[in-house]
Amino acid sequence: MNTFGNIFTLTTFGESHGEAIGGVVDGMPVGIEVDLDFIQSELNRRRPGQSSITTSRQEGDVVELLSGVFEGRTTGCPIGFIVRNTNQHSQDYENMRQMFRPSHADYTYYNKYGNRDYRGGGRSSARITISRVVAGALAKLALRQLNIQVKAYTSQVGDICLDRDYRKYDLSLTETNIVRCPDPIKAAEMVQLITQVKAEGDTIGGVITCVVKGCPAGMGEPEFGKLHAALGAAMLSINAVKGFEYGEGFDGAAGRGSEQNDVFVNDYGKIRTQTNHSGGIQGGISNGEDIYFRVAFKPVATLLREQSTVDIDGNPTKLTAKGRHDPCVLPRAVPVVEAMAAMTILDYYLLYKTVK
């Protein structure tokens, strides 16, 4: 289960403290101009050490494309790539060799495989999302040709929340602060909260909102390939994600049909909806309106403070983690959410084109 997608696919490999993280993208449309600077800029948004509220691990995260590109354009052949690990501090994890971190994948990986890579979590590490960001950047380059845009932002950290209506914000401001929030005032509050939590050796979670603009009506594969289900599966595959909702989501469950129905209108010869409570998807198929959804992230499991746990033999013990860890994953997870959304949308656009 290391491959994502139907037509546009990504197969990933690598571990947090191994030689490199990498992947193979297949199904990439032919002739797409490959902007290597753009791909690297997407990785820079995800890389560690970028601000005072992220892990201090210093990695350049430089991508090397190995195949599938000739004279600056995609050839239609598989695109292989790697990003080398250069700043591992494996010794920081030595005290975790025989112990399970509470709420971490340590215990479940050990039960599934009979062993685990305790150095940064190995394959369960969020560092593996590097492959997703590279593939997502390639998907974005293809979507750019279709005038489809994917934009995500931090909409909640702890109890500091933005209004749920993304239309109230200028999303071009998302990259103007280190927490990636389009509201400068709320962003400052979020940074202050994360800084406080970090100083206490604790962690905190939040929510990322994502908006997809420009999708044609008709994307989605009933019965078991609905577009919102594919987006949900993509988001729930990201490390630390605990929830997904699209459109009005759970809030809409308290309303009535007369309040939630999106009325159709003729907008200068084009059928549109007056409202978009559905989140751009009806019956599992895109309706041409903006697709928007929210992704909930839990607090990072690794705390830089003492916690009770057990060792691999079940003996009670205490663990104080060492090393370099994010107090909040939200700022670095924004490009990961965008990447998974872009890959899903491109994959479903290619499925859509096969039946048009």
Side-chain angles (χ1 to χ4, degrees):
M1 301 300 290
N2 295 298
T3 298
F4 172 86
N6 298 283
I7 296 179
F8 179 91
T9 66
L10 166 68
T11 301
T12 73
F13 64 86
E15 296 83 32
S16 176
H17 285 230
E19 290 298 317
I21 308 296
V24 176
V25 169
D26 204 358
M28 181 72 175
V30 179
I32 302 297
E33 184 176 352
V34 176
D35 184 342
L36 195 56
D37 289 338
F38 171 73
I39 297 172
Q40 188 60 54
S41 71
E42 292 292 275
L43 278 173
N44 292 345
R45 296 170 67 210
R46 195 226 68 94
R47 72 175 178 82
Q50 61 183 268
S51 77
S52 61
I53 59 171
T54 64
T55 172
S56 59
R57 179 171 175 170
Q58 294 296 320
E59 294 278 4
D61 285 355
V62 178
V63 63
E64 302 173 39
L65 299 184
L66 306 178
S67 61
V69 179
F70 179 66
E71 295 184 338
R73 293 185 180 273
T74 56
T75 64
C77 297
I79 301 174
F81 63 87
I82 59 170
V83 173
R84 300 182 187 276
N85 294 324
T86 62
N87 191 232
Q88 309 96 310
H89 287 182
S90 299
Q91 68 276 7
D92 290 344
Y93 296 86
E94 189 60 36
N95 69 323
M96 302 181 196
R97 178 190 287 267
Q98 301 295 324
M99 290 185 277
F100 300 122
R101 282 172 283 181
S103 287
H104 197 276
D106 286 342
Y107 176 72
T108 51
Y109 265 61
Y110 183 77
N111 272 268
K112 182 173 180 63
Y113 298 108
N115 61 65
R116 80 181 203 278
D117 186 345
Y118 61 89
R119 306 165 305 164
R123 188 70 174 152
S124 70
S125 170
R127 185 155 178 77
I128 305 305
T129 59
I130 283 174
S131 299
R132 301 172 184 229
V133 172
V134 173
L138 289 166
K140 282 185 177 182
L141 290 173
L143 292 176
R144 185 184 294 175
Q145 307 299 310
L146 304 169
N147 295 316
I148 298 174
Q149 301 176 337
V150 180
K151 187 67 178 175
Y153 61 93
T154 299
S155 55
Q156 180 176 341
V157 172
D159 60 357
I160 302 172
C161 307
L162 271 61
D163 189 281
R164 292 173 63 92
D165 188 348
Y166 66 90
R167 296 169 298 179
K168 294 184 178 180
Y169 301 98
D170 179 357
L171 301 191
S172 68
L173 298 177
T174 299
E175 295 295 320
T176 62
N177 56 74
I178 58 177
V179 78
R180 294 196 164 89
C181 171
D183 183 325
I185 295 175
K186 291 288 188 181
E189 295 176 9
M190 291 174 179
V191 171
Q192 183 177 6
L193 176 57
I194 296 172
T195 302
Q196 175 190 334
V197 166
K198 179 181 179 181
E200 296 169 355
D202 213 336
T203 61
I204 196 162
V207 175
I208 289 175
T209 297
C210 187
V211 184
V212 182
K213 292 179 173 289
C215 281
M219 291 171 48
E221 302 298 320
E223 170 69 8
F224 299 107
K226 294 179 178 179
L227 183 56
H228 62 268
L231 286 167
M235 298 307 138
L236 289 164
S237 74
I238 300 172
N239 307 59
V241 169
K242 302 296 281 187
F244 169 85
E245 63 175 5
Y246 74 103
E248 291 293 315
F250 285 95
D251 278 6
R256 300 187 178 191
S258 56
E259 300 168 320
Q260 289 291 310
N261 281 353
D262 294 315
V263 175
F264 290 106
V265 296
N266 187 325
D267 184 17
Y268 297 99
K270 181 179 180 180
I271 296 177
R272 300 285 304 274
T273 58
Q274 281 185 329
T275 54
N276 190 17
H277 301 298
S278 301
I281 302 171
Q282 294 168 328
I285 302 172
S286 61
N287 66 5
E289 303 299 326
D290 290 351
I291 296 171
Y292 64 95
F293 56 86
R294 290 159 46 89
V295 186
F297 285 78
K298 72 171 185 175
V300 175
T302 305
L303 310 185
L304 299 181
R305 59 196 294 181
E306 187 176 84
Q307 294 187 88
S308 296
T309 187
V310 297
D311 62 21
I312 60 175
D313 296 316
N315 301 309
T317 186
K318 299 289 185 180
L319 170 65
T320 300
K322 302 176 183 178
R324 302 160 296 176
H325 306 278
D326 287 288
C328 178
V329 299
L330 276 296
R332 295 175 60 211
V334 166
V336 181
V337 168
E338 289 183 0
M340 295 308 297
M343 285 194 286
T344 303
I345 294 299
L346 178 57
D347 189 33
Y348 269 63
Y349 177 83
L350 295 173
L351 285 168
Y352 157 81
K353 291 300 290 183
T354 65
V355 297
K356 283 294 285 184

